[in-house]
Amino acid sequence: MGRDLARSAGGRLPRDPLSELNRLLLLQRAYENSDSATLALLGPAGPRDVYAMMEAARRGDLRSARTAFAQLRQRPGWEEWLRGGQFTHLAALLED
């Protein structure tokens, strides 16, 4: 089991498994409660940026949302993903 965990963690075990478990539980709770602020803070890099963009838009901070949107669009594969699904209308709003 430890080897499978190490493979999924990029070949190395987490430094502090208890804190990593706590972080995952916080992420699950934040996802269940639609807490985009916590997801933007603790999530993995790609989704963290999406949640940061959504949180900025929710707060009415369109400048920050546009900046986050522009940064996401520059990443390979994200342009198509942002234009599909639930982000279609948000993408139209955040276009320059």
Side-chain angles (χ1 to χ4, degrees):
M1 166 137 171
R3 289 183 183 157
D4 293 334
L5 179 61
R7 272 190 221 110
S8 68
R12 62 189 184 289
L13 290 173
R15 291 177 193 223
D16 182 2
L18 291 178
S19 66
E20 184 63 16
L21 179 60
N22 186 44
R23 186 182 77 82
L24 292 173
L25 290 171
L26 287 172
L27 283 169
Q28 179 182 358
R29 197 170 300 126
Y31 182 79
E32 290 170 352
N33 294 320
S34 299
D35 181 0
S36 57
T38 300
L39 291 166
L41 181 65
L42 298 176
R48 178 177 54 224
D49 297 337
V50 171
Y51 285 112
M53 178 183 67
M54 291 171 49
E55 178 62 16
R58 186 192 64 75
R59 289 190 321 263
D61 183 359
L62 291 182
R63 180 177 293 179
S64 294
R66 281 188 180 112
T67 301
F69 181 69
Q71 290 172 346
L72 279 171
R73 287 176 62 184
Q74 293 174 359
R75 293 182 178 186
W78 283 89
E79 174 77 29
E80 296 81 23
W81 188 82
L82 288 166
R83 298 219 170 273
Q86 72 185 59
F87 294 104
T88 304
H89 300 292
L90 184 59
L93 266 175
L94 296 177
E95 294 254 309
D96 290 332

